[in-house]
Amino acid sequence: MSKPGGGKPSDRLNPKTVNQFNRSGQSVFGNLYNNGAIPCKLSHGSVTHRLTWSQPPERLSYDPLLIHLAEGLKETQHPYTFVAREAFIELCELTGSVDKVLPILTRLIPPVKMAMLSTDKKVVEGTFRAVSALSNSVKSHLNPHLKPLLAP
């Protein structure tokens, strides 16, 4: 039975999910993910989700992967929200990530700022988690970028 307004009653219980049959208006990140350019996939668990990488993340080049993930932080549809945020955080938390992040740090700031300006509370919260992981990776190297990142 449909509710007035066209939605099913269960729609309010489910996160926004991607309609795999309607590809129009899809984001750049969504296209990259669906075409296999993002080397990880969402693995559904009974209680929690996790990422499965197509190769060890330590061996991946962060350029342009981490930039694509930063662009994906503004996503609002499942699985893109989870994949972009968690992959970004996992890559930043890897031992030695600083050596791969520093060369592209300035290119990460604009897409991260765009995600922080979102009107979606969950996007902003996820982006702050990602920025925290980025900060833990690059430490004080992020300081010169804080003013442009946090300025409205």
Side-chain angles (χ1 to χ4, degrees), residues 29 32 37-40 51 53 55-71 84 86-109 111 130 133-138:
F29 181 81
L32 289 169
I38 306 297
C40 61
L51 294 177
W53 295 88
Q55 60 180 300
E58 300 84 12
R59 295 177 42 205
L60 295 170
S61 171
Y62 282 25
D63 187 4
L65 176 59
L66 200 63
I67 296 163
H68 292 319
L69 294 171
E71 291 166 350
E86 294 305 315
F88 188 95
I89 291 169
E90 282 187 26
L91 291 177
C92 286
E93 289 178 343
L94 288 174
T95 302
S97 66
V98 64
D99 296 330
K100 293 182 177 184
V101 175
L102 282 179
I104 60 171
L105 183 58
T106 57
R107 292 168 48 207
L108 291 172
I109 301 306
L134 179 64
S135 176
N136 289 337
S137 172
V138 299

Side-chain angles (χ1 to χ4, degrees), residues 95-144:
T95 302
S97 66
V98 64
D99 296 330
K100 293 182 177 184
V101 175
L102 282 179
I104 60 171
L105 183 58
T106 57
R107 292 168 48 207
L108 291 172
I109 301 306
V112 169
K113 181 175 177 86
M114 289 303 297
M116 289 176 76
L117 293 174
S118 174
T119 57
D120 188 305
K121 181 181 175 184
K122 290 183 180 183
V123 169
V124 175
E125 288 172 357
T127 303
F128 275 112
R129 284 189 51 225
V131 169
S132 176
L134 179 64
S135 176
N136 289 337
S137 172
V138 299
K139 308 278 187 227
S140 64
H141 295 284
L142 187 60
N143 291 350

Side-chain angles (χ1 to χ4, degrees), residues 12-73:
R12 62 193 164 108
L13 301 175
N14 297 323
K16 296 178 194 172
T17 57
V18 176
N19 178 351
Q20 293 296 322
F21 302 105
N22 179 11
R23 303 280 181 159
S24 63
Q26 193 170 56
S27 67
V28 173
F29 181 81
N31 283 329
L32 289 169
Y33 180 75
N34 289 330
N35 293 329
I38 306 297
C40 61
K41 296 288 179 200
L42 172 65
S43 293
H44 292 276
S46 60
V47 177
T48 60
H49 302 311
R50 63 180 181 84
L51 294 177
T52 301
W53 295 88
S54 60
Q55 60 180 300
E58 300 84 12
R59 295 177 42 205
L60 295 170
S61 171
Y62 282 25
D63 187 4
L65 176 59
L66 200 63
I67 296 163
H68 292 319
L69 294 171
E71 291 166 350
L73 292 172

Side-chain angles (χ1 to χ4, degrees), residues 77-90:
Q77 292 185 310
H78 181 76
Y80 308 138
T81 54
F82 181 84
V83 172
R85 182 185 62 244
E86 294 305 315
F88 188 95
I89 291 169
E90 282 187 26

Side-chain angles (χ1 to χ4, degrees), residues 1-17:
M1 177 174 183
S2 290
K3 291 186 105 180
K8 296 179 284 189
S10 61
D11 286 347
R12 62 193 164 108
L13 301 175
N14 297 323
K16 296 178 194 172
T17 57

